[in-house]
């Protein structure tokens, strides 16, 4: 519900956990809040999904290698390693379709609650925020013809990326067309 999200962001802004940003609307105000936010997200994934946190670190490291690649061959090798690491991480999300409701309510029943691209979006946002050469980051960024799910810029390596997670019947080709 958009009104609930607006209320949440208003409270976060009033409490000082968000500041205004002319380009993206809001941003985290400083490194201390950013580090706390990152720690809490990682702890959530660890507790809720029982994911080995080293898998997140591995994906972040592989993505950084893609950005640091200096030539086509190095870039292609880094992309292949990134794919493997990302598949390994996503495969740990309870078959990526189910989570034990007992983790939330104690009932022990199985219920599908996270089988959508929002979870992928959240995971990719977390990973991207860990990049050592990250210069700019945004989610749901308006780019003229629509909104990009995740956009980041690495000024150090003179590279940027648009990430459009897809889940279910959506395909990689759908994502590429949307990015174009």
């Amino acid at each position: 519900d958009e009104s609930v999200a607006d209320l949440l962001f208003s409270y976060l802004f009033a409490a000082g956990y968000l500041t205004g940003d002319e380009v993206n609307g809001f941003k985290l105000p400083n490194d201390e809040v950013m580090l706390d936010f990152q720690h809490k997200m990682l702890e959530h994934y660890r507790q809720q999904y029982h994911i080995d946190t080293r898998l997140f670190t591995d994906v972040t490291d592989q993505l950084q290698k893609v950005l640091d690649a200096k030539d086509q061959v190095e870039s292609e090798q880094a992309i292949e390693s990134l794919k493997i690491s990302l598949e390994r991480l996503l495969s740990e999300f309870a078959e990526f379709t189910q989570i034990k409701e007992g983790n939330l309510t104690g009932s022990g029943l199985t219920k599908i609650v996270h089988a959508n691209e929002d979870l992928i979006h959240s995971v990719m946002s977390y990973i991207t925020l860990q990049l050592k050469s990250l210069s700019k980051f945004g989610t749901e960024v308006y780019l003229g013809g629509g909104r990009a799910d995740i956009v980041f810029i690495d000024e150090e390596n003179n590279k940027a990326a648009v990430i459009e997670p897809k889940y279910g019947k959506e395909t990689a080709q759908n994502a590429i067309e949307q990015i174009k």
Side-chain angles (χ1 to χ4, degrees), residues 4-14 18 26:
V4 173
D6 288 343
L7 181 63
L8 173 65
F9 283 107
S10 295
Y11 282 125
L12 291 172
F13 181 76
L18 292 174
F26 292 104

Side-chain angles (χ1 to χ4, degrees), residues 69-171:
K70 301 299 181 203
D71 60 42
Q72 184 74 21
V73 172
E74 190 178 346
S75 180
E76 288 173 4
Q77 290 172 343
I79 289 170
E80 285 306 311
S81 293
L82 173 62
K83 286 180 188 178
I84 292 166
S85 294
L86 187 57
E87 287 174 2
R88 190 177 303 129
L89 171 64
L90 294 178
S91 72
E92 290 296 312
F93 280 89
E95 298 180 79
F96 208 68
T97 57
Q98 296 182 355
I99 181 173
K100 290 286 185 184
E101 186 177 308
N103 292 345
L104 303 173
T105 66
S107 70
L109 299 175
T110 299
K111 179 180 178 185
I112 297 173
V113 292
H114 289 290
N116 60 44
E117 69 185 55
D118 291 341
L119 178 60
I120 303 169
H121 186 265
S122 174
V123 167
M124 290 308 301
S125 292
Y126 173 79
I127 289 165
T128 303
L129 286 169
Q130 304 309 304
L131 294 169
K132 67 179 181 189
S133 61
L134 182 67
S135 303
K136 295 181 182 179
F137 171 82
T139 64
E140 297 301 326
V141 177
Y142 182 72
L143 297 174
R147 294 190 177 277
D149 283 343
I150 300 170
V151 177
F152 70 89
I153 298 172
D154 171 0
E155 291 174 348
E156 182 179 313
N157 289 304
N158 198 29
K159 295 181 182 175
V162 175
I163 301 172
E164 277 299 325
K166 297 296 176 201
Y167 181 80
K169 294 180 183 177
E170 297 278 353
T171 66

Side-chain angles (χ1 to χ4, degrees), residues 169-180:
K169 294 180 183 177
E170 297 278 353
T171 66
Q173 190 58 42
N174 295 126
I176 291 168
E177 292 303 317
Q178 189 173 346
I179 290 169
K180 287 179 183 177

